[in-house]
Amino acid sequence: MSEVPRSSLSVLGGPLNGTRVILEDTDEVLIGSDPDCGLRLELPGVSPIHARLWRDPSGVTVSDTHSPQGLFVNDDAVTGRMPVRDGDILWLGAPGAPDSVMIQVRLTAPASSVLEVGAEAEVGFIGADASAAEPPPIQLASVDGLVFELETAGGSAPAVVPAAEPQPEIPAPPEEVFFIEDAPLVEEFLVEPAPPPPPTAVVPTPVVARPPAAPAAPKPPAAPAVPAAPAVAVKVSVPPAPPKPPAPATPAKPAAGDDVFVVDAAAVAAAQAVVSARPAPETRTAPRPAATRPAAPHAARPAPARPRSGGASRIVAVAALVALVLGGGAVAALRFLSGPQLVSIGPTRVRAGDAVVLRGKDFSASAAANTVTFSGKPGRVISASPTELRVEVPVLSTAPGKDVNVEVKVGVKGRETRAVALAVFQAPRIHALSPNIGMPGDEVGLAGTAWGSGAKVLFDTTPAQVVEMSSASMKVRVPALQVAPGSEVKVTVNMGADPSNSAAFVIGRLPLLRSVTPSAAGPGDVVTLAGLGFREGGPGNDVRLGGRRALVVSAAHDSLKLLVPFLDTGGETQVELRVPGSDAVGRATLTVNAAPDPLELRFSAEPFDADASLAAVTTALGPAFLLAAASGKSAGERAAEAVQRLNAAVPLIRASSDTDFVARGFDASPMLAVAGGNDALLTATGADAALYDQRGGGRPPVNPARLAVWWEIVARDLVKLLARGEKPDQVASFSAADGRVLAELFAAAQKSGAAGVSAAVLAAATTSQLAVLRAFALRVPASVPTPAGAAASATAVAAPAGGPPLPTDRTWHGFEIVEGLRKLISLSLRGGGGTYSYSGGVQVSLQLSGVQQRKTELSFVLQTGGRSRHYLGRWDGSRVAGRISSEASGTGDLGSFELTPR
């Protein structure tokens, strides 16, 4: 059968792996956890409407709905609309994060028997193991005309088996006690009467109706009955005997509705062995009628002895079977006899989409192990405990102005509770607002159900103008509200007496700043901004204090941490936040503590050269150390940690003239530490060395060991100049020009009479002197040696002359950090092309172009999300480290990467 190309969305990995939706002629597909979404994903972190997929003659695009977890195409964040191509990956949440959902877009996927958008069936999700939801087939085994139902791994279900003649149902004995009763057996014949049993107190056994038959003689005594354990019920249905006894009759199967055994397959095999060993049945003259025999409760009663016959052998078979059931099935019997109980529901009147609380006992503590139905339609279990379930009411058939009573049941491990009534009424329902923030006069879209002509939309209590309306969406204009920006209001839709659920709407623009904590801070302190619309990861947020860009340490959708930089003045300072894709500016104020005068030795950090993915650890004089992303941390995170450790070490250095900064760890991990201490204040990595080397470090190339030595030299001169009032002389030993400017600054401070470098002395410095102060620490002079005992891995960051060249046609493994998000990647390079792969539960591969492999450089281009990324790295003899840019020229810095050949 030929395949017809179709477009589709398929979930890769996670609990819904294999969920797939075919895209037919619809122009819009909603993706989210809401029941009305074309691709419904009931998972943590998935918003009710997480994304919208659009298709028109120009192609397919996807747009974000400001969901808290974000939307990404491959690994590019979607801030407005972004084109989608065949094979692209949509990420609901950060790429590769444990709770993120990976969806592959196929624009020419083959047709298959999956659910289609717009089909008559309800749109849901189909997992890779969807077939497991159906009951397993029932296996029946026959033992000489008795039919036993075998219990399977998935539990048993009623079976409909054709029968020779309709058979009446044999009622269950009282107290769930097992009885071996020969009276109901049809295949019984006249024998010599036997003495009746002695009188005893009995519980009557129900009589089963039989077809008319000739009177029967008293039954001879049967074989001794096998004692039966209490609290297990096994029922038997046996077809009637053939009308003529001479020839053995073919056993007939029970009719639909007959009771059957639920036993283990091994029990059936044992019973079959017993039956096969019985002697041939004796010839009888006529059947006798059924009789009722008394039995003592909770115990099996021995039957009177009678000659061995076909009926007796059947009882032997049943007895053996029961013995096996009772011996090996006690646990199953206890499970069968226990079950959940549903006691109450609250509230008792709800609308579709509301959450109700079910109270009872013996529920499963796992939400997935409970099945809750509302008149047969399943509801989503939100949370569970053995005595309480919180469940979302599904969409049911309701009518305006009329409650519908539904029966609610809970199922656990095949056992179901009795039904409890719940009243469900029809009311409008809001699924999502887009956008969920705006100012009076802005237009806002509402997605939902159950509204129509006459619907009223309220922002708190103020009505809004309805601009457009359809059965599932409407557009309204935000009314004039007398509330401050940042305030949250509730949006509802009214149709008659029952209003909709409420949706939160924020008055303001994205990004929105709501608070700054603490309200006062100084250089090097960490400040937290709270609000909405921040760019997750960090570097995408442009935060400025008094016009100076601050280093963002980390950022989520609603919070952001930054380091306060050194400012020229203190006092109340304007905080401004900008994010890509928005012209709005979030504003707040922060009181910045003025720097002490004269200047003291204190560290902070700032973005380097307006590149938010790089960080410079600074003092009041300017940059001291330059850091790149490394060891799985962004440059901002590394800088924040270094600032905290360096500032903690300053009091120790001030307290003793013998204590100073020192470089160590050359044999393993070069670092800057405090003399006498073993803790690293700052670790020199290959990525840091490559960054210095790219800035013109000269020859020999910069490596981590040489870089750690240079950091010690710079730090010691800063201690002398800013902490001890001594002439700096360390830098001058390796760079005369830079050392001369530091000496001139010290001389000016001495002339001023101040105890150190005052703010006035720094303000009086010439432009050329200030330029040196802001650049000297960021270059490693060629005269800085590689220390003795340095490990090979710490001494070669760029391949020296005659060293190992850059490997070609190899597979590379490593990581990249783009906009603060770290992701493990691998490359497979072949000639001028190759593949780029990353893992997010499922391996995703994209094609590379423009691959160039030189002796010390590797560059390539990746197309993702309709954009180009240009990678340029330098080979150090063991790895490649470099930068990622949006332009071939290297401008538009996006992040960094590091790769090792395998």
Side-chain angles (χ1 to χ4, degrees):
M1 179 174 162
S2 61
E3 293 182 342
V4 179
R6 296 184 181 181
S7 298
S8 67
L9 301 176
S10 301
V11 178
L12 306 179
L16 299 185
N17 181 38
T19 301
R20 189 176 177 212
V21 168
I22 297 295
L23 311 179
E24 286 295 330
D25 297 329
T26 181
D27 293 331
E28 177 187 19
V29 176
L30 300 180
I31 304 172
S33 60
D34 192 270
D36 291 337
C37 287
L39 178 55
R40 184 185 182 189
L41 304 170
E42 294 183 290
L43 292 172
V46 177
S47 300
I49 298 183
H50 202 114
R52 284 184 172 87
L53 199 72
W54 299 82
R55 183 167 58 179
D56 54 37
S58 62
V60 178
T61 58
V62 67
S63 60
D64 185 26
T65 59
H66 302 294
S67 54
Q69 301 302 322
L71 175 68
F72 297 78
V73 173
N74 298 323
D75 51 5
D76 289 323
V78 179
T79 55
R81 277 199 189 185
M82 183 177 289
V84 180
R85 301 178 301 174
D86 179 42
D88 277 350
I89 298 296
L90 302 183
W91 286 96
L92 309 188
D99 293 335
S100 296
V101 181
M102 177 191 295
I103 304 171
Q104 186 172 41
V105 180
R106 303 302 305 186
L107 301 183
T108 56
S112 60
S113 57
V114 296
L115 204 58
E116 300 182 359
V117 174
E120 292 183 2
E122 180 183 356
V123 176
F125 58 84
I126 302 175
D129 58 348
S131 62
E134 299 181 3
I138 304 301
Q139 304 179 22
L140 297 177
S142 174
V143 180
D144 195 31
L146 306 183
V147 179
F148 308 101
E149 180 182 357
L150 305 185
E151 184 176 10
T152 65
S156 61
V160 179
V161 183
E165 295 180 9
Q167 298 295 317
E169 181 181 1
I170 302 177
E175 298 294 330
E176 297 279 347
V177 178
F178 179 85
F179 291 88
I180 301 176
E181 192 66 65
D182 60 340
L185 292 175
V186 177
E187 194 178 316
E188 296 293 344
F189 305 97
L190 291 176
V191 295
E192 293 297 324
T200 181
V202 299
V203 177
T205 302
V207 180
V208 179
R210 303 288 179 182
K219 186 172 64 171
V226 178
V232 179
V234 180
K235 297 182 180 180
V236 183
S237 293
V238 185
K244 296 181 179 181
T250 301
K253 296 181 179 179
D258 283 355
D259 293 325
V260 290
F261 277 111
V262 181
V263 299
D264 187 90
V268 175
Q272 287 174 327
V274 174
V275 174
S276 63
R278 68 181 173 89
E282 300 179 14
T283 302
R284 304 293 178 183
T285 57
R288 65 175 177 84
T292 301
R293 297 222 177 179
H298 305 292
R301 177 176 56 79
R306 65 179 181 180
R308 191 172 181 80
S309 67
S313 63
R314 292 171 185 273
I315 293 178
V316 173
V318 173
L321 177 61
V322 171
L324 289 173
V325 172
L326 297 179
V331 175
L334 291 175
R335 176 175 57 82
F336 177 80
L337 294 175
S338 63
Q341 296 182 23
L342 176 58
V343 177
S344 65
I345 301 179
T348 57
R349 184 175 183 268
V350 295
R351 78 194 109 207
D354 288 348
V356 293
V357 176
L358 312 184
R359 294 182 175 86
K361 60 182 296 187
D362 295 333
F363 301 151
S364 173
S366 170
N370 299 280
T371 301
V372 182
T373 58
F374 295 76
S375 290
K377 191 165 186 179
R380 182 171 68 93
V381 180
I382 302 170
S383 61
S385 74
T387 58
E388 186 173 290
L389 302 178
R390 189 166 180 264
V391 187
E392 180 182 300
V393 179
V395 177
L396 301 166
S397 297
T398 56
K402 182 179 180 181
D403 291 0
V404 175
N405 290 324
V406 299
E407 292 186 341
V408 183
K409 297 179 181 180
V410 179
V412 180
K413 296 181 179 179
R415 302 285 288 170
E416 196 170 57
T417 67
R418 66 178 180 85
V420 175
L422 176 69
V424 179
F425 64 93
Q426 186 182 101
R429 185 177 180 207
I430 300 176
H431 298 322
L433 303 178
S434 182
N436 60 356
I437 183 172
M439 295 293 289
D442 290 350
E443 290 187 353
V444 177
L446 282 72
T449 55
W451 57 51
S453 178
K456 295 181 179 179
V457 181
L458 300 178
F459 283 67
D460 281 345
T461 59
T462 305
Q465 176 189 357
V466 178
V467 180
E468 296 177 4
M469 178 181 294
S470 68
S471 60
S473 65
M474 70 171 74
K475 186 178 292 185
V476 301
R477 198 176 306 280
V478 180
L481 299 171
Q482 303 301 318
V483 296
S487 301
E488 186 175 282
V489 298
K490 299 297 183 183
V491 180
T492 56
V493 178
N494 287 5
M495 284 287 294
D498 293 314
S500 71
N501 59 310
S502 62
F505 185 82
V506 178
I507 301 300
R509 300 280 188 211
L510 290 179
L512 176 70
L513 289 181
R514 284 177 162 170
S515 65
V516 180
T517 307
S519 58
D525 291 339
V526 177
V527 171
T528 300
L529 307 183
L532 291 174
F534 303 160
R535 190 70 175 269
E536 293 193 18
N541 304 278
D542 184 344
V543 184
R544 298 179 184 269
L545 275 67
R548 187 166 191 145
R549 187 162 187 177
L551 180 68
V552 176
V553 178
S554 62
H557 175 72
D558 56 357
S559 66
L560 178 152
K561 294 183 181 298
L562 60 87
L563 279 171
V564 178
F566 287 96
L567 302 179
D568 295 335
T569 59
E572 188 173 279
T573 304
Q574 184 81 12
V575 180
E576 297 179 337
L577 171 63
R578 297 172 176 83
V579 297
S582 175
D583 295 331
V585 179
R587 289 185 170 85
T589 58
L590 170 70
T591 299
V592 177
N593 301 329
D597 195 11
L599 305 180
E600 65 177 15
L601 180 60
R602 182 171 178 80
F603 294 91
S604 184
E606 300 177 14
F608 175 66
D609 278 352
D611 186 343
S613 64
L614 301 176
V617 176
T618 64
T619 66
L621 299 180
F625 317 113
L626 187 58
L627 301 179
S631 304
K633 297 179 180 179
S634 68
E637 291 171 327
R638 292 186 66 209
E641 292 176 356
V643 166
Q644 180 182 13
R645 293 168 183 167
L646 289 166
N647 286 335
V650 167
L652 300 176
I653 293 173
R654 282 178 175 165
S656 172
S657 59
D658 296 330
T659 303
D660 213 330
F661 293 109
V662 62
R664 62 176 57 191
F666 304 120
D667 58 339
S669 180
M671 68 181 73
L672 185 67
V674 174
N678 295 320
D679 295 334
L681 305 178
L682 197 56
T683 301
T685 68
D688 301 328
L691 189 58
Y692 275 83
D693 203 39
Q694 291 172 8
R695 291 185 49 79
R699 292 292 182 266
V702 178
N703 56 62
R706 292 184 61 226
L707 179 58
V709 172
W710 179 241
W711 281 353
E712 175 189 320
I713 294 168
V714 172
R716 288 193 172 213
D717 266 3
L718 291 175
V719 169
K720 289 186 174 185
L721 188 61
L722 299 178
R724 294 176 178 160
E726 299 174 2
K727 181 179 179 180
D729 55 8
Q730 299 291 307
V731 171
S733 300
F734 299 93
S735 175
D738 296 335
R740 184 173 57 253
V741 171
L742 292 176
E744 290 171 353
L745 188 63
F746 171 75
Q750 291 291 98
K751 290 180 181 179
S752 69
V757 179
S758 65
V761 168
L762 189 59
T766 64
T767 302
S768 60
Q769 287 176 326
L770 292 176
V772 169
L773 292 176
R774 283 166 172 74
F776 81 94
L778 305 179
R779 298 187 303 270
V780 179
S783 56
V784 175
T786 297
S793 61
T795 59
V797 172
L806 177 73
T808 59
D809 294 341
R810 297 285 295 275
T811 299
W812 299 73
H813 296 272
F815 64 89
E816 68 177 34
I817 300 177
V818 176
E819 296 183 350
L821 297 177
R822 185 177 188 271
K823 183 166 57 181
L824 298 178
I825 63 174
S826 63
L827 302 183
S828 179
L829 304 180
R830 294 293 182 270
T835 57
Y836 164 102
S837 303
Y838 64 92
S839 177
V842 175
Q843 196 77 6
V844 179
S845 296
L846 302 172
Q847 293 299 313
L848 297 177
S849 62
V851 176
Q852 296 185 24
Q853 303 177 75
R854 305 179 185 90
K855 185 175 181 180
T856 60
E857 285 187 351
L858 171 66
S859 62
F860 54 89
V861 181
L862 173 66
Q863 295 288 337
T864 174
R867 305 171 185 172
S868 296
R869 287 187 183 177
H870 299 266
Y871 292 69
L872 175 61
R874 179 164 294 189
W875 168 247
D876 67 1
S878 61
R879 65 175 63 91
V880 167
R883 307 300 302 167
I884 308 171
S885 307
S886 60
E887 304 294 337
S889 61
T891 59
D893 191 89
L894 300 175
S896 61
F897 72 100
E898 186 174 312
L899 296 167
T900 303
R902 296 283 176 89

